[in-house]
Amino acid sequence: MSFFRILQFTDLHLSSNHDEKDQKTFKLLEQMISTYHPDLCVFTGDQIWTQGVMDAANTYKSLLIFLNQFDTQIATTFGNHDIENQLRRSDLRNMEAAISKRYVDKHHSKLIDDKEAYVVEIFHENELSHLLYIIDGGDYSESAVGEYAYIHPGHIAWMSEVEKYYQDKSKLMLHHNLVFTHIPIPEYQAIASTQNYRGIFNEEIGCPTVNSGLFAQMLSLGHIEGMFCGHDHDNDFSFNHYGIGLNYGRISGFNCYGDVNRGARLIDLSPYQPYRTKIVEYDQRF
């Protein structure tokens, strides 16, 4: 039986003028949260669209204020469109700290090049049961290799440090932990060689060209059973890759490309059991 429920929202792409499409995105958020009553909402990047937008800070502020009305915790990471103009990632984090009333407690936060990785602790009957790794993988490649940034090696090493901390502190092996980021890692491309997947695969995988070793680290740690990303708007599939579930969130925003119905990914956690997940769609009739 599920004791903790997560809704993953991704790629809201809120604009500066909150036009009709943005209003539908806000209605989607309200409907999803009111219907499924999540304990935690994880936003996996591209909450806002900032290219050429001078007042993008106000756009993010309005999202945070809107989310304050709900009785659910909030966790975020950023994508490749959140800071394309005058904003920095630290600006968005400062706004979250100042405005959000329900932002989750961050544990073991590590900043590298203004990109933050942190852990969310999930408890069941006062015992630690799950760790959620939230990792900001960045936006665009800073080298001549590929278009998108890769997970920083420092954050990959950090995951091993975090595991050692919890083992030394609690002597527990936590086997059902999850990772959330924006841009898919190269291993998502393995979908092309398997038919054993659930969901929609309608778009080339927009991953980094450089493989910095995050998946190998997850395999080595042995306690991470699922990863969740966004970024590609016409993909929402899930498949098992060497024992780790690779999942896309369903795109949630209306102010961007994508032919699939908007929605979110629902993730249910149970004590000592694998996670369960499915896509939930926005009902535009209401």
Side-chain angles (χ1 to χ4, degrees), residues 124-145:
H124 176 254
E125 296 180 350
N126 297 319
E127 284 196 2
L128 186 64
S129 63
H130 296 75
L131 303 177
L132 309 183
Y133 292 83
I134 314 292
I135 304 177
D136 187 344
D139 40 42
Y140 297 101
S141 174
E142 296 180 357
S143 70
V145 181

Side-chain angles (χ1 to χ4, degrees), residues 71-238:
D71 185 22
T72 180
Q73 290 186 300
I74 303 296
T76 63
T77 189
F78 305 122
N80 55 301
H81 290 302
D82 291 296
I83 59 158
E84 289 185 303
N85 198 10
Q86 82 280 15
L87 288 175
R88 297 169 298 178
R89 280 165 150 72
S90 58
D91 295 327
L92 299 180
R93 291 194 300 271
N94 290 338
M95 291 175 64
E96 291 168 346
I99 297 171
S100 178
K101 296 179 180 179
R102 295 286 292 166
Y103 206 94
V104 73
D105 290 334
K106 297 178 179 180
H107 298 273
H108 308 283
S109 172
K110 187 174 184 66
L111 284 171
I112 301 177
D113 298 336
D114 202 27
K115 298 175 290 189
E116 184 181 32
Y118 61 94
V119 171
V120 179
E121 297 179 345
I122 308 298
F123 287 83
H124 176 254
E125 296 180 350
N126 297 319
E127 284 196 2
L128 186 64
S129 63
H130 296 75
L131 303 177
L132 309 183
Y133 292 83
I134 314 292
I135 304 177
D136 187 344
D139 40 42
Y140 297 101
S141 174
E142 296 180 357
S143 70
V145 181
E147 180 178 4
Y148 296 113
Y150 50 82
I151 302 291
H152 195 283
H155 280 149
I156 296 172
W158 162 85
M159 294 179 73
S160 182
E161 297 167 4
V162 169
E163 179 190 1
K164 185 177 187 305
Y165 168 84
Y166 285 103
Q167 286 185 10
D168 290 347
K169 180 181 179 181
S170 64
K171 308 301 181 184
L172 293 176
M173 287 294 293
L174 304 171
H175 291 289
H176 302 291
N177 304 320
L178 307 177
V179 175
F180 293 84
T181 191
H182 178 68
I183 296 175
I185 58 175
E187 280 77 9
Y188 274 76
Q189 294 175 308
I191 186 69
S193 60
T194 180
Q195 297 298 317
N196 189 24
Y197 69 89
R198 293 180 292 113
I200 298 170
F201 174 31
N202 283 343
E203 183 176 3
E204 182 180 353
I205 310 302
C207 63
T209 299
V210 173
N211 191 328
S212 57
L214 177 63
F215 189 83
Q217 178 72 296
M218 293 193 293
L219 283 177
S220 175
L221 295 178
H223 67 256
I224 295 173
E225 67 175 12
M227 182 176 184
F228 302 83
C229 69
H231 187 56
D232 295 335
H233 302 176
D234 281 322
N235 291 332
D236 76 353
F237 59 75
S238 297

